[in-house]
Amino acid sequence: MQHGKYRFIAGFLVLPLALYAVFVISPFVQAIYYSFTDWTGLSSDLRVTGIDNYRRLWHDDIFWQAVGHNVLLLLVLPLVTLGLGLFFAFMLNVGGRRRKNAAVAGVRGSSLYKVVYFFPQVLSIAIVALLFQFAYNPNSGALNSFLGAIGVDARPEWLGNPHLALWCVTAVMVWSNVGFYVVLFSAGMSSVPRDFYEAALLDGANRLQTFFRITLPLLWDTVQTGWVYMGIMALDSFAVVQIMTVGPGGPDYSTEVLSFYLYTKAFRDGQAGYATAVGVALLIVTMIFAGIVMKLGRRERLEY
């Protein structure tokens, strides 16, 4: 009887596991194999070169510059995006004035604000990047036009300045993602019993204390998941860099990231073997980041 049950379960698992192996596991294995070859990506001729590609990576200054930019994005992008998402969601759900028959309430018009914050999510990242490319234009862009209108003569180059370009890209990625987390965290906060907040307010707690003692602990699993997701997005910033930046990836490699470096090596330079080595390095960075976040974020589950 037991063997029959296991055969029945295995019958349902064979097809999905086979599809997963073919379309997910197999590309990873192939990429790792190609990273040890001199494959150009343009023909089937290739030669195994051992660890030459990884030795070349170790001495590649542009690669390490891209790694540094990705690490900066990993630190800044999740922190700013999730921080703003938590702040706006808390204000929309808990930060309003007390009303009749409600000790805790969000600001007036919170439903409309959620729609406004979520609006960037209906636009593709390509459209968002293109719009901000026009906004950052030093001659006719909206930002410099505004600065000129208020009498500022020293208007920056924005994307043409190596010291500002990466921060301009980061600002666009924050703007395009924060609305999603406002709605996500708002959904989580709406499920928190109001009795918790009312009891805390009766005990003399202020808004800041209720956030750190009640809201954040109960939303911690959601925040942790969002941190991993935003970290992966920070590592995969190809579209914004490709569309917005000078070069792209410039000026002077100031916005070069691993995903775009992989693309240029594979499709511009015809060095697919070396590009897959960059991809393997990107995979390792992603796994290390996810492991650190899950390790540091591990805590006892809070239930209510």
Side-chain angles (χ1 to χ4, degrees):
M1 188 68 180
Q2 285 290 101
H3 294 293
K5 182 179 73 173
Y6 290 134
R7 283 198 297 268
F8 178 77
I9 295 174
F12 280 97
L13 292 178
V14 166
L15 181 59
L17 289 177
L19 292 174
Y20 185 82
V22 171
F23 293 105
V24 179
I25 303 299
S26 176
F28 279 107
V29 175
Q30 291 181 50
I32 294 172
Y33 167 71
Y34 286 132
S35 69
F36 293 102
T37 69
D38 61 353
W39 184 43
T40 64
L42 302 175
S43 70
S44 59
D45 297 330
L46 53 88
R47 180 174 56 90
V48 176
T49 59
I51 62 171
D52 287 354
N53 287 329
Y54 294 98
R55 188 181 294 114
R56 178 183 168 190
L57 273 183
W58 186 258
H59 299 285
D60 190 340
D61 293 336
I62 299 175
F63 167 76
W64 287 111
Q65 203 169 352
V67 170
H69 295 155
N70 273 122
V71 171
L72 180 63
L73 289 173
L74 279 174
L75 296 175
V76 174
L77 187 61
L79 181 64
V80 176
T81 304
L82 298 181
L84 289 175
L86 283 168
F87 172 75
F88 289 132
F90 186 75
M91 294 303 296
L92 291 178
N93 291 273
V94 186
R97 295 181 178 180
R98 297 186 182 185
R99 301 174 193 170
K100 184 178 180 181
N101 298 326
V104 178
V107 298
R108 294 187 181 277
S110 59
S111 299
L112 176 62
Y113 291 139
K114 291 176 185 177
V115 173
V116 173
Y117 287 137
F118 192 77
F119 175 73
Q121 290 294 311
V122 305
L123 302 175
S124 71
I125 191 63
I127 294 175
V128 170
L130 194 60
L131 289 174
F132 274 90
Q133 184 189 44
F134 290 131
Y136 283 131
N137 188 294
N139 299 317
S140 58
L143 291 176
N144 278 358
S145 297
F146 171 75
L147 293 177
I150 61 176
V152 177
D153 295 327
R155 296 188 285 275
E157 290 287 334
W158 300 114
L159 295 174
N161 188 331
H163 302 292
L164 292 178
L166 187 62
W167 296 110
C168 292
V169 170
T170 304
V172 173
M173 297 179 71
V174 170
W175 181 85
S176 63
N177 287 283
V178 69
F180 172 79
Y181 290 98
V182 171
V183 176
L184 179 66
F185 294 146
S186 294
M189 291 179 190
S190 64
S191 65
V192 177
R194 296 293 177 178
D195 296 345
F196 291 4
Y197 292 114
E198 293 174 357
L201 292 175
L202 288 174
D203 289 339
N206 56 35
R207 301 287 186 184
L208 191 62
Q209 290 172 325
T210 59
F211 174 79
F212 284 105
R213 299 295 181 86
I214 298 175
T215 306
L216 187 58
L218 292 176
L219 288 179
W220 187 252
D221 288 345
T222 305
V223 173
Q224 187 180 32
T225 303
W227 199 285
V228 173
Y229 180 76
M230 284 306 304
I232 294 173
M233 182 164 291
L235 290 169
D236 184 23
S237 49
F238 168 80
V240 180
V241 171
Q242 165 72 8
I243 296 171
M244 285 183 58
T245 60
V246 178
D252 195 23
Y253 300 107
S254 60
T255 56
E256 190 76 46
V257 292
L258 287 173
S259 57
F260 183 73
Y261 191 51
L262 185 156
Y263 168 81
T264 56
K265 287 299 174 185
F267 298 103
R268 187 193 67 186
D269 301 337
Q271 301 175 12
Y274 186 64
T276 52
V278 177
V280 172
L282 180 58
L283 172 64
I284 293 172
V285 173
T286 304
M287 297 300 291
I288 291 174
F289 169 77
I292 291 174
V293 171
M294 299 303 290
K295 181 70 175 179
L296 295 179
R298 185 177 299 170
R299 57 188 296 176
E300 294 182 4
R301 182 178 296 275
L302 296 176
E303 300 179 352
Y304 53 88

